[in-house]
Structures are given as C-alpha cells and as structure tokens.
Amino acid sequence: MSTSLTSGVTLETKMNTSDAIDVLGARVEGTLEQVDSRFPLYADSKTGTWETTADGNWCAGHWIGLLWLASAVTDATDTVTLQRAARAYTEQAGWDALQNSLFSGMNYRYAGYRAADITDEPSLSAFGQHGAEDSRALFDETASIIPVGSFGTRGLEHHVRVNTEGIAAVDAVYTAGGVLWRAARETGDERYRRLAERHAATHRRWFVRADGSVWHKVAYNTETGDVQKHYNQLTRAPDTCWSRGLGWSIAGLADAYNATGETEYLDTLERHITYYRQHTPPDDVPFAELGDAAPETYRDTSAAALTAYGLVRLADESPRAEALRKYGRTVRSSLVKRYLASEGSRRGQLREGCYNAVDDVAPQHELIWSTYYLLCSLTVDRHRELFGSR
C-alpha cells in the first residue's frame, strides 16, 4: 500500500465502502477537535493544518452537514458531541452575509433539510426553508436566472466584482436551484418548482457548450435579459472548462432530473459525462481545468467528488440513468482508492483538491466540501432515507 504525501502522487489503498465511510468519520471527529469552534475551509495535505473562518465563508453548511452525517452513518465514537457541534455551528454560521447569494440555498439545505432527514425535527426542515426563500428572492424575473448576488467569496478575492449585478454563475444550478426542488417537494408549492425549472432551462442555454463543457460566468443585461458575454474566472486558459464548474452542473442537473424525470436533463448529463471522460486522466479524477488547451497541473478531487455525488444520486431505474450511476461509482471508487488516506495521523483526508488554480489558493489541499460530497456519495446507496430529495 502506497501512502506517499508527495504532491501529485496518488495513494493506493484497499478500502470497501464501510471502511471509507468510517475513515471519513474519523477525520470529521479529528477536525472538530482541531478547529476550536471555527469552520474548517481547507487543509494542507502535508501538515493537515486547517485554514479556518469564524462564519463558514461560502460553505458553512458543508461542515454542519458533515457533522450531522458522520453522526448518523459512521462509527464515530461520540455521536452526541457531533450533533451538539452541528447545532452550535448552525447558530454561529454567517447566514446574514449569505442571504443575497447563490450559495445561501445550498447551505440551508444541508444545515436544515438534510439535518431534518436525520433527526425528523420539523424545526430543522423549517430552517431549510429559509434557503428556498433566499433563492426565490434573488431570482431575476427578466433573465429567468438566479444571479451571483453580492456575496464576496474569501479566498477568491481577485475574482470578486464590486458590482455583481447582471452576473450569473454555473454553480447556481445546484447551489441555488437544488433547494427550490426540495422546497417544492416539501411544501407542495408549485412556485418553487416553476422557478427551479426556469433557472435550469436558462442554465442549459447559457452555460452548457455544444461539446458538453460549461462556461463559468455569464454577464447579462438586467433590463432585457440578453447575454452580453461568456467567460471563465477560475481557469488559466480562457476557453477551457473549469472542472468543478462542470461538477456543479452535473450535481444540479441530477437534482432537476430526480425532481421532474424530464429527459432533457438526462441528455445534458450524458453530454457532460462524455466530455468529462474525454478530458480526464485514466483514473477518472480531472485536473482543475479540462480541454485541449488546459494545463495538466493540479488535480481537483472536489470536481470528481461532485461528479460522483451527482451521478450516484440519480433515482431513475432506466438503463441510461444506471449507466451514469455506474460511472459515478467508478469515480467514487477512484477517489477512495487513490486519494483518500486510510492510515496515519491524517486518516480520512481526501487529498489533491484545488480551490483556485489561478491564484494558487489551496491548489493541492483537502477541501471541506470535497469531504462532504464524497461522504454523501458513499452513503446514498445504503441510506437513501437520509437524502429525501436525493
């Protein structure tokens, strides 16, 4: 078994699903002990030391969701402590800062709706509803899109515009759209479904390219809703594809397909995966950028984790959906075999995540969202009851 920490050298481990779930649970417990009531964001793969924030930055719900999920599905030694911590972090997270943001809905979904899936507490489901209300309030009726909003993502300061009006991002089909599908199912209110459908339709027109890749950002005219420019902020080559952006699109369209059964979403997912497979190394874990001109530096396990998470949650039993699920399991298996530490002081660390290749911000690190999506993808086969909306 190889457990080299050398940059760019993958691990070779032999773990089954239960083993992988449990080592991730151990990492969650160890992280909780280390971060001292702050939110973990990313950790150096060699030292295991976490960069933390007081309020969770853009991804507070991932840490809260990890605490809830680890308490329910792993062999964590103290589930009471994990759940108590999840509640404390929920009180501490920067919800007000996230309100006018494409990230709000996702974080409420994990801290609210998915926590309720574990605890059956109506108050947590009601908390999740706040995310749906934020997404609905942010929705641009003219363009039929949920825009970026005003949140400034720390760690990506060079890419935050002072004025974000008329800017949409590929992420939002999952981060803001997913909670609307869930709210529609929870409440029976078709207004949430209609907004989610409109956003998904615009997403497919604006962000999905003919070859199955995606754009990162779109600038549009807020008075007419017309597209002004397509562009990438988190790629070093201008016309390549941000691999995590492709992962967000896969996860978001999986939500849309589960909610509607409409084959147009399955069609796009298949195009995405064809492109992903064509431009990803043999181990099915991509570099931070995809495409013929993409630099082959910095793998991004977070893009692979999102891809696996989206695909394995497909609920349909059709042969097409099963083929996509099968590939999702292949990606998941590669992450566990080659990138998840199975022993040592950093047992459970998912390595080689790339936050921001352009500015070398955490380019070869453990990322808290990667861990969340990998644990979810490993859990969903055995515990679909914990993923009420998949």
Side-chain angles (χ1 to χ4, degrees):
M1 176 186 299
S2 169
T3 55
S4 171
L5 299 183
T6 303
S7 174
V9 177
T10 57
L11 302 156
E12 288 289 340
T13 63
K14 294 181 180 179
M15 284 189 284
N16 59 31
T17 298
S18 294
D19 292 336
I21 288 172
D22 289 340
V23 300
L24 286 168
R27 183 60 176 164
V28 171
E29 288 191 298
T31 297
L32 180 61
E33 293 176 1
Q34 182 188 144
V35 297
D36 192 25
S37 300
R38 290 176 63 84
F39 285 85
L41 185 60
Y42 53 80
D44 185 282
S45 293
K46 295 180 180 179
T47 67
T49 301
W50 284 97
E51 179 76 17
T52 63
T53 67
D55 61 2
N57 201 338
W58 64 273
C59 55
H62 295 82
W63 176 231
I64 295 167
L66 268 172
L67 292 165
W68 282 116
L69 194 56
S71 77
V73 304
T74 75
D75 65 350
T77 57
D78 191 347
T79 59
V80 172
T81 295
L82 292 177
Q83 294 196 1
R84 184 182 299 120
R87 296 180 192 278
Y89 278 106
T90 301
E91 292 293 326
Q92 183 181 331
W95 301 111
D96 289 344
L98 285 168
Q99 185 174 5
N100 185 43
S101 163
L102 80 163
F103 299 120
S104 179
M106 172 183 66
N107 287 288
Y108 276 109
R109 184 182 185 186
Y110 301 158
Y113 281 133
R114 286 194 175 164
D117 290 338
I118 291 170
T119 65
D120 291 323
E121 294 180 26
S123 62
L124 287 172
S125 183
F127 187 70
Q129 186 68 23
H130 288 295
E133 295 308 318
D134 283 354
S135 291
R136 186 166 73 170
L138 191 57
F139 191 86
D140 187 321
E141 288 284 347
T142 302
S144 290
I145 198 78
I146 300 168
V148 168
S150 59
F151 185 75
T153 308
R154 296 181 298 285
L156 303 177
E157 287 89 347
H158 294 173
H159 301 285
V160 175
R161 290 168 52 119
V162 174
N163 178 15
T164 57
E165 185 178 10
I167 302 295
V170 67
D171 324 28
V173 70
Y174 179 78
T175 62
V179 74
L180 294 172
W181 298 115
R182 178 66 188 259
R185 191 178 70 83
E186 291 292 323
T187 66
D189 189 336
E190 288 299 303
R191 289 177 296 177
Y192 298 112
R193 175 180 292 270
R194 287 194 293 270
L195 292 183
E197 289 175 342
R198 290 173 64 189
H199 179 92
T202 303
H203 169 86
R204 291 175 67 245
R205 291 197 311 273
W206 284 12
F207 291 96
V208 180
R209 294 189 266 192
D211 61 0
S213 65
V214 295
W215 289 105
H216 179 193
K217 294 283 184 70
V218 170
Y220 67 94
N221 186 311
T222 57
E223 295 183 0
T224 65
D226 295 331
V227 171
Q228 296 176 322
K229 181 174 68 171
H230 295 87
Y231 62 104
N232 292 318
Q233 283 188 329
L234 290 178
T235 64
R236 289 158 289 177
D239 294 326
T240 55
C241 173
W242 179 41
S243 62
R244 189 160 69 248
L246 185 60
W248 287 125
S249 190
I250 290 165
L253 294 176
D255 275 340
Y257 183 65
N258 283 340
T260 67
E262 294 293 335
T263 57
E264 61 190 17
Y265 300 123
L266 201 61
D267 295 341
T268 307
L269 282 168
E270 289 174 336
R271 289 168 56 203
H272 279 342
I273 296 307
T274 296
Y275 180 86
Y276 181 99
R277 298 183 75 167
Q278 288 173 342
H279 295 280
T280 296
D283 69 356
D284 299 293
V285 174
F287 290 98
E289 294 166 56
L290 304 175
D292 294 338
E296 292 189 350
T297 53
Y298 302 147
R299 294 296 186 102
D300 188 10
T301 51
S302 77
L306 267 167
T307 297
Y309 162 81
L311 297 180
V312 300
R313 290 183 307 118
L314 289 170
D316 182 42
E317 296 303 320
S318 71
R320 293 174 68 190
E322 174 55 29
L324 290 168
R325 271 195 304 275
K326 182 179 179 180
Y327 184 64
R329 291 191 290 268
T330 296
V331 176
R332 180 181 68 187
S333 177
S334 183
L335 287 170
V336 170
K337 180 180 179 182
R338 297 180 174 88
Y339 296 88
L340 182 64
S342 62
E343 58 187 30
S345 61
R346 290 178 293 286
R347 179 171 176 256
Q349 184 183 69
L350 180 60
R351 301 190 173 113
E352 299 289 336
C354 182
Y355 188 13
N356 173 3
V358 175
D359 296 316
D360 283 326
V361 177
Q364 294 173 294
H365 285 61
E366 176 183 14
L367 308 173
I368 197 63
W369 56 95
S370 308
T371 305
Y372 179 72
Y373 293 121
L374 179 58
L375 183 56
C376 286
S377 72
L378 288 162
T379 299
V380 71
D381 291 340
R382 301 182 181 188
H383 299 279
R384 284 193 177 270
E385 75 279 4
L386 301 184
F387 296 88
S389 64
R390 301 297 190 270

